[in-house]
Amino acid sequence: MFTEARLYSLEEKGQIIDAIYKAHDDGDLGEASRLRREILPLNPGLAKVVKKLYGKDYLVDNRFNLAEANREFGDGWLDR
Amino acid sequence: MAGLTDDTLEFVELLNQNLATRERVIGSEVQKKHDQGLLLTMEYLRRQQERRDIETLFSSELLALTHSLENDVISPEEETSLNAGINQLTRAYDCYKALTGDFDAYKKMQDTYEKEDGLPIDVARNFFKSHYTRLQNILRSNSKAPKLEKDMVRLRRDSLKIMREIYIEIQRKALAF
């Protein structure tokens, strides 16, 4: 069970994606959504796009895992 | 921007999943997962097309375009074209909002007075047409791309047709035809 919003290795990301499909197959779409958003780190390029289109609050309020974006752009990037 | 709903959230989640699988598309198992993700994304787009909610369709296309600009390997020409698409889409959305909310602003923002069946070919109508062609050109210049990637662009192109239909209906009502 994945519960932390942190950096994950490629290997672990593979496991998260397996867990997403398992949730999907079990009909647990809420869990699939949680794993995609709160656990699987948001791709930095996509994070930039979403921030530009919908703003910082959208990323924060929806509890996206921003660990990769923070590593890529440095802490405080959300406020810049 | 438009359609800040749970639907938009689902689209962002699916794009994120596709990017994560793309990071390691080596070996048939991962390729299969990547393809599955693309299929889910297409399912999402089809669902939005059936719902005929123009705001979500605007929002999905804006996200798809900006995503492509940030994450795909593209030529400088493609970059220019995508940026033009984003600008036109934003203006088209403003035009739609004006049509449904602020008629004086709507009248001011038109480039031409051209009409079809009595309805103005306005900024939004021009966008639906030019962006359809843009996606068509992307398909043509990426003819060797994997089938699913091309299907996705085809689906986005279909969305433009649907958006145009919905928009004409809105125009008819707003302009009391």
Side-chain angles (χ1 to χ4, degrees):
Chain A
M1 171 82 175
F2 295 97
T3 53
E4 274 176 280
R6 58 167 169 88
L7 290 170
Y8 287 99
S9 66
L10 269 186
E11 193 69 44
E12 287 173 313
K13 283 200 226 173
Q15 292 165 8
I16 296 170
I17 286 161
D18 286 341
I20 291 171
Y21 281 117
K22 174 151 191 327
H24 228 271
D25 292 345
D26 294 345
D28 191 350
L29 299 185
E31 175 64 0
S33 162
R34 184 190 73 86
L35 289 165
R36 281 190 190 112
R37 185 165 28 90
E38 297 182 26
I39 303 301
L40 190 65
L42 189 62
N43 170 281
L46 186 58
K48 212 160 113 190
V49 168
V50 174
K51 184 188 161 214
K52 185 170 153 195
L53 295 181
Y54 307 126
K56 170 193 168 185
D57 290 350
Y58 185 81
L59 287 171
V60 175
D61 295 347
N62 287 308
R63 303 167 59 94
F64 281 99
N65 177 359
L66 299 175
E68 279 191 17
N70 293 342
R71 182 186 56 186
E72 178 93 7
F73 307 130
D75 288 334
W77 72 276
L78 270 178
D79 294 308
R80 281 198 290 272
Chain B
M1 178 60 198
L4 276 185
T5 58
D6 287 349
D7 291 321
T8 311
L9 198 59
E10 188 184 347
F11 194 45
V12 175
E13 288 172 6
L14 288 167
L15 291 176
N16 190 37
Q17 180 183 325
N18 294 342
L19 285 166
T21 44
R22 196 168 73 177
E23 269 186 89
R24 30 179 286 154
V25 178
I26 315 157
S28 60
E29 267 313 295
V30 185
Q31 179 67 55
K32 216 167 100 189
K33 276 179 202 152
H34 187 64
D35 290 352
Q36 258 175 304
L38 288 177
L39 288 172
L40 282 178
T41 314
M42 286 197 267
E43 215 179 277
Y44 166 90
L45 283 175
R46 277 195 204 98
R47 226 164 45 230
Q48 301 313 325
Q49 290 176 351
E50 276 162 26
R51 281 184 54 216
R52 297 179 73 83
D53 172 5
I54 197 168
E55 296 232 355
T56 310
L57 291 171
F58 263 122
S59 190
S60 301
E61 184 52 26
L62 180 61
L63 195 50
L65 271 174
T66 320
H67 170 265
S68 190
L69 196 60
E70 286 292 333
N71 292 294
D72 291 345
V73 181
I74 48 172
S75 65
E77 293 78 28
E78 284 167 326
E79 189 180 328
T80 307
S81 169
L82 290 181
N83 271 319
I86 290 167
N87 287 335
Q88 286 166 8
L89 185 150
T90 312
R91 285 192 70 214
Y93 180 71
D94 289 343
C95 175
Y96 151 76
K97 280 310 234 189
L99 176 65
T100 52
D102 182 353
F103 201 66
D104 282 338
Y106 175 73
K107 279 192 289 190
K108 269 184 219 147
M109 70 190 304
Q110 302 316 318
D111 298 330
T112 66
Y113 293 99
E114 208 188 323
K115 287 189 176 187
E116 187 186 277
D117 298 331
L119 296 170
I121 304 295
D122 59 21
V123 168
R125 296 268 302 258
N126 279 330
F127 163 73
F128 300 135
K129 194 174 165 196
S130 65
H131 197 54
Y132 186 94
T133 310
R134 180 177 292 112
L135 293 175
Q136 191 93 297
N137 290 340
I138 289 177
L139 275 174
R140 222 169 274 148
S141 59
N142 292 289
S143 57
K144 285 187 184 138
K147 183 181 176 298
L148 282 180
E149 308 270 354
K150 284 191 289 187
D151 284 347
M152 179 87 86
V153 179
R154 282 193 194 100
L155 205 57
R156 285 169 55 199
R157 189 193 59 186
D158 293 347
S159 287
L160 266 297
K161 229 193 228 170
I162 293 167
M163 289 166 84
R164 180 178 174 272
E165 285 169 16
I166 304 169
Y167 188 80
I168 288 177
E169 269 315 298
I170 296 171
Q171 265 190 325
R172 260 187 229 292
K173 278 185 198 138
L175 306 172
F177 267 79

PDB file of all heavy atoms in Angstrom, chain A residues 24 29, chain B residues 6-7 10-11 14 39-53 56-57 155:
ATOM      1  N   HIS A  24      -8.293  -0.399 -10.696  1.00  0.00           N
ATOM      2  CA  HIS A  24      -9.202  -0.273 -11.826  1.00  0.00           C
ATOM      3  C   HIS A  24      -9.973  -1.565 -12.052  1.00  0.00           C
ATOM      4  O   HIS A  24     -11.195  -1.572 -12.179  1.00  0.00           O
ATOM      5  CB  HIS A  24      -8.366   0.040 -13.072  1.00  0.00           C
ATOM      6  CG  HIS A  24      -8.940   1.179 -13.836  1.00  0.00           C
ATOM      7  ND1 HIS A  24      -9.875   0.993 -14.811  1.00  0.00           N
ATOM      8  CD2 HIS A  24      -8.721   2.510 -13.735  1.00  0.00           C
ATOM      9  CE1 HIS A  24     -10.212   2.162 -15.293  1.00  0.00           C
ATOM     10  NE2 HIS A  24      -9.528   3.102 -14.658  1.00  0.00           N
ATOM     11  N   LEU A  29     -12.387   3.013  -8.499  1.00  0.00           N
ATOM     12  CA  LEU A  29     -11.874   4.141  -9.280  1.00  0.00           C
ATOM     13  C   LEU A  29     -11.329   5.253  -8.380  1.00  0.00           C
ATOM     14  O   LEU A  29     -10.422   5.985  -8.774  1.00  0.00           O
ATOM     15  CB  LEU A  29     -12.969   4.687 -10.196  1.00  0.00           C
ATOM     16  CG  LEU A  29     -13.509   3.689 -11.237  1.00  0.00           C
ATOM     17  CD1 LEU A  29     -14.495   4.368 -12.173  1.00  0.00           C
ATOM     18  CD2 LEU A  29     -12.391   3.027 -12.047  1.00  0.00           C
TER      19      LEU A  29
ATOM     20  N   ASP B   6     -14.074  17.930 -11.708  1.00  0.00           N
ATOM     21  CA  ASP B   6     -13.449  16.631 -11.470  1.00  0.00           C
ATOM     22  C   ASP B   6     -13.009  15.996 -12.779  1.00  0.00           C
ATOM     23  O   ASP B   6     -12.102  15.185 -12.821  1.00  0.00           O
ATOM     24  CB  ASP B   6     -14.444  15.695 -10.778  1.00  0.00           C
ATOM     25  CG  ASP B   6     -14.646  16.112  -9.329  1.00  0.00           C
ATOM     26  OD1 ASP B   6     -13.867  16.955  -8.856  1.00  0.00           O
ATOM     27  OD2 ASP B   6     -15.588  15.599  -8.704  1.00  0.00           O
ATOM     28  N   ASP B   7     -13.697  16.361 -13.875  1.00  0.00           N
ATOM     29  CA  ASP B   7     -13.336  15.796 -15.174  1.00  0.00           C
ATOM     30  C   ASP B   7     -11.940  16.226 -15.584  1.00  0.00           C
ATOM     31  O   ASP B   7     -11.158  15.446 -16.095  1.00  0.00           O
ATOM     32  CB  ASP B   7     -14.326  16.259 -16.243  1.00  0.00           C
ATOM     33  CG  ASP B   7     -15.684  15.629 -16.024  1.00  0.00           C
ATOM     34  OD1 ASP B   7     -15.718  14.452 -15.657  1.00  0.00           O
ATOM     35  OD2 ASP B   7     -16.690  16.317 -16.201  1.00  0.00           O
ATOM     36  N   GLU B  10      -9.383  14.306 -13.697  1.00  0.00           N
ATOM     37  CA  GLU B  10      -9.184  12.945 -14.230  1.00  0.00           C
ATOM     38  C   GLU B  10      -8.254  12.980 -15.453  1.00  0.00           C
ATOM     39  O   GLU B  10      -7.395  12.115 -15.610  1.00  0.00           O
ATOM     40  CB  GLU B  10     -10.542  12.344 -14.611  1.00  0.00           C
ATOM     41  CG  GLU B  10     -10.447  10.870 -14.987  1.00  0.00           C
ATOM     42  CD  GLU B  10     -11.769  10.282 -15.464  1.00  0.00           C
ATOM     43  OE1 GLU B  10     -12.829  10.939 -15.279  1.00  0.00           O
ATOM     44  OE2 GLU B  10     -11.732   9.178 -16.026  1.00  0.00           O
ATOM     45  N   PHE B  11      -8.411  14.001 -16.274  1.00  0.00           N
ATOM     46  CA  PHE B  11      -7.572  14.109 -17.470  1.00  0.00           C
ATOM     47  C   PHE B  11      -6.111  14.332 -17.072  1.00  0.00           C
ATOM     48  O   PHE B  11      -5.207  13.711 -17.630  1.00  0.00           O
ATOM     49  CB  PHE B  11      -8.095  15.254 -18.344  1.00  0.00           C
ATOM     50  CG  PHE B  11      -7.537  15.259 -19.750  1.00  0.00           C
ATOM     51  CD1 PHE B  11      -7.465  14.091 -20.500  1.00  0.00           C
ATOM     52  CD2 PHE B  11      -7.103  16.425 -20.342  1.00  0.00           C
ATOM     53  CE1 PHE B  11      -6.964  14.095 -21.797  1.00  0.00           C
ATOM     54  CE2 PHE B  11      -6.601  16.448 -21.636  1.00  0.00           C
ATOM     55  CZ  PHE B  11      -6.528  15.276 -22.362  1.00  0.00           C
ATOM     56  N   LEU B  14      -4.660  11.100 -15.858  1.00  0.00           N
ATOM     57  CA  LEU B  14      -4.354  10.147 -16.938  1.00  0.00           C
ATOM     58  C   LEU B  14      -3.103  10.570 -17.703  1.00  0.00           C
ATOM     59  O   LEU B  14      -2.259   9.735 -18.049  1.00  0.00           O
ATOM     60  CB  LEU B  14      -5.552  10.028 -17.886  1.00  0.00           C
ATOM     61  CG  LEU B  14      -6.752   9.261 -17.312  1.00  0.00           C
ATOM     62  CD1 LEU B  14      -7.989   9.456 -18.186  1.00  0.00           C
ATOM     63  CD2 LEU B  14      -6.433   7.771 -17.186  1.00  0.00           C
ATOM     64  N   LEU B  39      -5.402   4.174 -23.983  1.00  0.00           N
ATOM     65  CA  LEU B  39      -6.791   3.761 -24.225  1.00  0.00           C
ATOM     66  C   LEU B  39      -7.733   4.383 -23.189  1.00  0.00           C
ATOM     67  O   LEU B  39      -8.821   4.835 -23.536  1.00  0.00           O
ATOM     68  CB  LEU B  39      -6.915   2.230 -24.201  1.00  0.00           C
ATOM     69  CG  LEU B  39      -6.311   1.519 -25.422  1.00  0.00           C
ATOM     70  CD1 LEU B  39      -6.295   0.012 -25.216  1.00  0.00           C
ATOM     71  CD2 LEU B  39      -7.091   1.859 -26.689  1.00  0.00           C
ATOM     72  N   LEU B  40      -7.282   4.406 -21.926  1.00  0.00           N
ATOM     73  CA  LEU B  40      -8.098   5.030 -20.873  1.00  0.00           C
ATOM     74  C   LEU B  40      -8.304   6.515 -21.148  1.00  0.00           C
ATOM     75  O   LEU B  40      -9.380   7.064 -20.938  1.00  0.00           O
ATOM     76  CB  LEU B  40      -7.418   4.871 -19.506  1.00  0.00           C
ATOM     77  CG  LEU B  40      -7.520   3.516 -18.816  1.00  0.00           C
ATOM     78  CD1 LEU B  40      -6.739   3.553 -17.503  1.00  0.00           C
ATOM     79  CD2 LEU B  40      -8.974   3.159 -18.532  1.00  0.00           C
ATOM     80  N   THR B  41      -7.233   7.159 -21.638  1.00  0.00           N
ATOM     81  CA  THR B  41      -7.326   8.596 -21.937  1.00  0.00           C
ATOM     82  C   THR B  41      -8.312   8.828 -23.085  1.00  0.00           C
ATOM     83  O   THR B  41      -9.095   9.786 -23.061  1.00  0.00           O
ATOM     84  CB  THR B  41      -5.943   9.152 -22.307  1.00  0.00           C
ATOM     85  OG1 THR B  41      -4.996   8.654 -21.362  1.00  0.00           O
ATOM     86  CG2 THR B  41      -5.915  10.662 -22.272  1.00  0.00           C
ATOM     87  N   MET B  42      -8.271   7.931 -24.069  1.00  0.00           N
ATOM     88  CA  MET B  42      -9.200   8.075 -25.195  1.00  0.00           C
ATOM     89  C   MET B  42     -10.633   7.830 -24.742  1.00  0.00           C
ATOM     90  O   MET B  42     -11.565   8.506 -25.196  1.00  0.00           O
ATOM     91  CB  MET B  42      -8.809   7.126 -26.318  1.00  0.00           C
ATOM     92  CG  MET B  42      -7.570   7.604 -27.050  1.00  0.00           C
ATOM     93  SD  MET B  42      -7.381   6.816 -28.624  1.00  0.00           S
ATOM     94  CE  MET B  42      -6.363   5.466 -28.170  1.00  0.00           C
ATOM     95  N   GLU B  43     -10.781   6.883 -23.830  1.00  0.00           N
ATOM     96  CA  GLU B  43     -12.108   6.605 -23.277  1.00  0.00           C
ATOM     97  C   GLU B  43     -12.653   7.872 -22.592  1.00  0.00           C
ATOM     98  O   GLU B  43     -13.815   8.213 -22.727  1.00  0.00           O
ATOM     99  CB  GLU B  43     -11.937   5.507 -22.234  1.00  0.00           C
ATOM    100  CG  GLU B  43     -13.067   4.513 -22.114  1.00  0.00           C
ATOM    101  CD  GLU B  43     -12.675   3.500 -21.043  1.00  0.00           C
ATOM    102  OE1 GLU B  43     -11.938   2.566 -21.397  1.00  0.00           O
ATOM    103  OE2 GLU B  43     -13.070   3.673 -19.874  1.00  0.00           O
ATOM    104  N   TYR B  44     -11.741   8.513 -21.861  1.00  0.00           N
ATOM    105  CA  TYR B  44     -12.107   9.770 -21.177  1.00  0.00           C
ATOM    106  C   TYR B  44     -12.592  10.800 -22.189  1.00  0.00           C
ATOM    107  O   TYR B  44     -13.645  11.408 -22.013  1.00  0.00           O
ATOM    108  CB  TYR B  44     -10.908  10.323 -20.397  1.00  0.00           C
ATOM    109  CG  TYR B  44     -11.088  11.755 -19.960  1.00  0.00           C
ATOM    110  CD1 TYR B  44     -11.667  12.050 -18.735  1.00  0.00           C
ATOM    111  CD2 TYR B  44     -10.712  12.811 -20.786  1.00  0.00           C
ATOM    112  CE1 TYR B  44     -11.865  13.372 -18.346  1.00  0.00           C
ATOM    113  CE2 TYR B  44     -10.908  14.126 -20.407  1.00  0.00           C
ATOM    114  CZ  TYR B  44     -11.479  14.402 -19.187  1.00  0.00           C
ATOM    115  OH  TYR B  44     -11.675  15.706 -18.813  1.00  0.00           O
ATOM    116  N   LEU B  45     -11.817  10.976 -23.279  1.00  0.00           N
ATOM    117  CA  LEU B  45     -12.183  11.992 -24.274  1.00  0.00           C
ATOM    118  C   LEU B  45     -13.525  11.659 -24.943  1.00  0.00           C
ATOM    119  O   LEU B  45     -14.351  12.542 -25.157  1.00  0.00           O
ATOM    120  CB  LEU B  45     -11.088  12.114 -25.335  1.00  0.00           C
ATOM    121  CG  LEU B  45      -9.842  12.883 -24.905  1.00  0.00           C
ATOM    122  CD1 LEU B  45      -8.781  12.837 -25.992  1.00  0.00           C
ATOM    123  CD2 LEU B  45     -10.178  14.349 -24.596  1.00  0.00           C
ATOM    124  N   ARG B  46     -13.728  10.367 -25.216  1.00  0.00           N
ATOM    125  CA  ARG B  46     -15.014   9.968 -25.826  1.00  0.00           C
ATOM    126  C   ARG B  46     -16.178  10.285 -24.899  1.00  0.00           C
ATOM    127  O   ARG B  46     -17.226  10.745 -25.329  1.00  0.00           O
ATOM    128  CB  ARG B  46     -15.015   8.464 -26.151  1.00  0.00           C
ATOM    129  CG  ARG B  46     -14.356   8.203 -27.457  1.00  0.00           C
ATOM    130  CD  ARG B  46     -14.629   6.813 -27.992  1.00  0.00           C
ATOM    131  NE  ARG B  46     -13.544   6.473 -28.889  1.00  0.00           N
ATOM    132  CZ  ARG B  46     -12.509   5.746 -28.567  1.00  0.00           C
ATOM    133  NH1 ARG B  46     -12.430   5.194 -27.371  1.00  0.00           N
ATOM    134  NH2 ARG B  46     -11.546   5.533 -29.430  1.00  0.00           N
ATOM    135  N   ARG B  47     -15.966  10.031 -23.604  1.00  0.00           N
ATOM    136  CA  ARG B  47     -17.013  10.318 -22.613  1.00  0.00           C
ATOM    137  C   ARG B  47     -17.356  11.815 -22.617  1.00  0.00           C
ATOM    138  O   ARG B  47     -18.522  12.185 -22.581  1.00  0.00           O
ATOM    139  CB  ARG B  47     -16.497   9.905 -21.236  1.00  0.00           C
ATOM    140  CG  ARG B  47     -17.513   9.120 -20.447  1.00  0.00           C
ATOM    141  CD  ARG B  47     -16.928   8.372 -19.277  1.00  0.00           C
ATOM    142  NE  ARG B  47     -15.994   9.107 -18.471  1.00  0.00           N
ATOM    143  CZ  ARG B  47     -14.783   8.651 -18.122  1.00  0.00           C
ATOM    144  NH1 ARG B  47     -14.359   7.472 -18.529  1.00  0.00           N
ATOM    145  NH2 ARG B  47     -13.998   9.367 -17.347  1.00  0.00           N
ATOM    146  N   GLN B  48     -16.327  12.653 -22.695  1.00  0.00           N
ATOM    147  CA  GLN B  48     -16.571  14.103 -22.704  1.00  0.00           C
ATOM    148  C   GLN B  48     -17.281  14.517 -23.986  1.00  0.00           C
ATOM    149  O   GLN B  48     -18.118  15.422 -23.984  1.00  0.00           O
ATOM    150  CB  GLN B  48     -15.271  14.896 -22.540  1.00  0.00           C
ATOM    151  CG  GLN B  48     -14.493  14.617 -21.273  1.00  0.00           C
ATOM    152  CD  GLN B  48     -15.361  14.629 -20.041  1.00  0.00           C
ATOM    153  OE1 GLN B  48     -16.316  15.380 -19.924  1.00  0.00           O
ATOM    154  NE2 GLN B  48     -15.070  13.735 -19.103  1.00  0.00           N
ATOM    155  N   GLN B  49     -16.928  13.844 -25.088  1.00  0.00           N
ATOM    156  CA  GLN B  49     -17.601  14.166 -26.356  1.00  0.00           C
ATOM    157  C   GLN B  49     -19.077  13.816 -26.268  1.00  0.00           C
ATOM    158  O   GLN B  49     -19.934  14.563 -26.738  1.00  0.00           O
ATOM    159  CB  GLN B  49     -16.950  13.404 -27.513  1.00  0.00           C
ATOM    160  CG  GLN B  49     -15.555  13.899 -27.845  1.00  0.00           C
ATOM    161  CD  GLN B  49     -14.885  13.081 -28.933  1.00  0.00           C
ATOM    162  OE1 GLN B  49     -15.379  12.025 -29.339  1.00  0.00           O
ATOM    163  NE2 GLN B  49     -13.746  13.546 -29.408  1.00  0.00           N
ATOM    164  N   GLU B  50     -19.388  12.670 -25.652  1.00  0.00           N
ATOM    165  CA  GLU B  50     -20.798  12.265 -25.513  1.00  0.00           C
ATOM    166  C   GLU B  50     -21.568  13.218 -24.609  1.00  0.00           C
ATOM    167  O   GLU B  50     -22.731  13.494 -24.839  1.00  0.00           O
ATOM    168  CB  GLU B  50     -20.893  10.837 -24.957  1.00  0.00           C
ATOM    169  CG  GLU B  50     -20.765   9.792 -26.049  1.00  0.00           C
ATOM    170  CD  GLU B  50     -20.429   8.427 -25.493  1.00  0.00           C
ATOM    171  OE1 GLU B  50     -20.761   8.158 -24.323  1.00  0.00           O
ATOM    172  OE2 GLU B  50     -19.817   7.631 -26.233  1.00  0.00           O
ATOM    173  N   ARG B  51     -20.894  13.712 -23.574  1.00  0.00           N
ATOM    174  CA  ARG B  51     -21.552  14.653 -22.652  1.00  0.00           C
ATOM    175  C   ARG B  51     -21.826  16.004 -23.307  1.00  0.00           C
ATOM    176  O   ARG B  51     -22.634  16.780 -22.839  1.00  0.00           O
ATOM    177  CB  ARG B  51     -20.682  14.886 -21.406  1.00  0.00           C
ATOM    178  CG  ARG B  51     -20.776  13.768 -20.388  1.00  0.00           C
ATOM    179  CD  ARG B  51     -19.965  14.110 -19.157  1.00  0.00           C
ATOM    180  NE  ARG B  51     -20.345  15.403 -18.606  1.00  0.00           N
ATOM    181  CZ  ARG B  51     -19.506  16.267 -18.054  1.00  0.00           C
ATOM    182  NH1 ARG B  51     -18.228  15.994 -17.992  1.00  0.00           N
ATOM    183  NH2 ARG B  51     -19.931  17.397 -17.554  1.00  0.00           N
ATOM    184  N   ARG B  52     -21.078  16.283 -24.367  1.00  0.00           N
ATOM    185  CA  ARG B  52     -21.244  17.526 -25.137  1.00  0.00           C
ATOM    186  C   ARG B  52     -21.145  18.770 -24.251  1.00  0.00           C
ATOM    187  O   ARG B  52     -21.924  19.714 -24.398  1.00  0.00           O
ATOM    188  CB  ARG B  52     -22.553  17.498 -25.933  1.00  0.00           C
ATOM    189  CG  ARG B  52     -22.574  16.388 -26.973  1.00  0.00           C
ATOM    190  CD  ARG B  52     -23.865  16.349 -27.732  1.00  0.00           C
ATOM    191  NE  ARG B  52     -24.005  17.441 -28.696  1.00  0.00           N
ATOM    192  CZ  ARG B  52     -23.487  17.442 -29.912  1.00  0.00           C
ATOM    193  NH1 ARG B  52     -22.757  16.422 -30.328  1.00  0.00           N
ATOM    194  NH2 ARG B  52     -23.676  18.452 -30.717  1.00  0.00           N
ATOM    195  N   ASP B  53     -20.186  18.748 -23.342  1.00  0.00           N
ATOM    196  CA  ASP B  53     -19.952  19.915 -22.491  1.00  0.00           C
ATOM    197  C   ASP B  53     -18.788  20.698 -23.099  1.00  0.00           C
ATOM    198  O   ASP B  53     -17.626  20.282 -23.010  1.00  0.00           O
ATOM    199  CB  ASP B  53     -19.632  19.443 -21.065  1.00  0.00           C
ATOM    200  CG  ASP B  53     -19.199  20.595 -20.173  1.00  0.00           C
ATOM    201  OD1 ASP B  53     -19.251  21.760 -20.636  1.00  0.00           O
ATOM    202  OD2 ASP B  53     -18.807  20.343 -19.029  1.00  0.00           O
ATOM    203  N   THR B  56     -15.626  21.677 -20.892  1.00  0.00           N
ATOM    204  CA  THR B  56     -14.652  20.611 -20.624  1.00  0.00           C
ATOM    205  C   THR B  56     -13.849  20.296 -21.888  1.00  0.00           C
ATOM    206  O   THR B  56     -12.656  20.017 -21.810  1.00  0.00           O
ATOM    207  CB  THR B  56     -15.358  19.337 -20.111  1.00  0.00           C
ATOM    208  OG1 THR B  56     -16.213  19.707 -19.052  1.00  0.00           O
ATOM    209  CG2 THR B  56     -14.360  18.320 -19.619  1.00  0.00           C
ATOM    210  N   LEU B  57     -14.498  20.365 -23.039  1.00  0.00           N
ATOM    211  CA  LEU B  57     -13.774  20.086 -24.286  1.00  0.00           C
ATOM    212  C   LEU B  57     -12.728  21.172 -24.560  1.00  0.00           C
ATOM    213  O   LEU B  57     -11.612  20.864 -24.973  1.00  0.00           O
ATOM    214  CB  LEU B  57     -14.749  19.947 -25.455  1.00  0.00           C
ATOM    215  CG  LEU B  57     -15.653  18.694 -25.408  1.00  0.00           C
ATOM    216  CD1 LEU B  57     -16.729  18.762 -26.482  1.00  0.00           C
ATOM    217  CD2 LEU B  57     -14.837  17.409 -25.567  1.00  0.00           C
ATOM    218  N   LEU B 155      -8.973  11.678 -32.330  1.00  0.00           N
ATOM    219  CA  LEU B 155     -10.060  11.901 -31.384  1.00  0.00           C
ATOM    220  C   LEU B 155     -10.157  13.379 -31.003  1.00  0.00           C
ATOM    221  O   LEU B 155     -11.258  13.945 -30.906  1.00  0.00           O
ATOM    222  CB  LEU B 155      -9.796  11.042 -30.145  1.00  0.00           C
ATOM    223  CG  LEU B 155     -10.976  10.639 -29.303  1.00  0.00           C
ATOM    224  CD1 LEU B 155     -12.002   9.891 -30.134  1.00  0.00           C
ATOM    225  CD2 LEU B 155     -10.513   9.721 -28.171  1.00  0.00           C
TER     226      LEU B 155
END
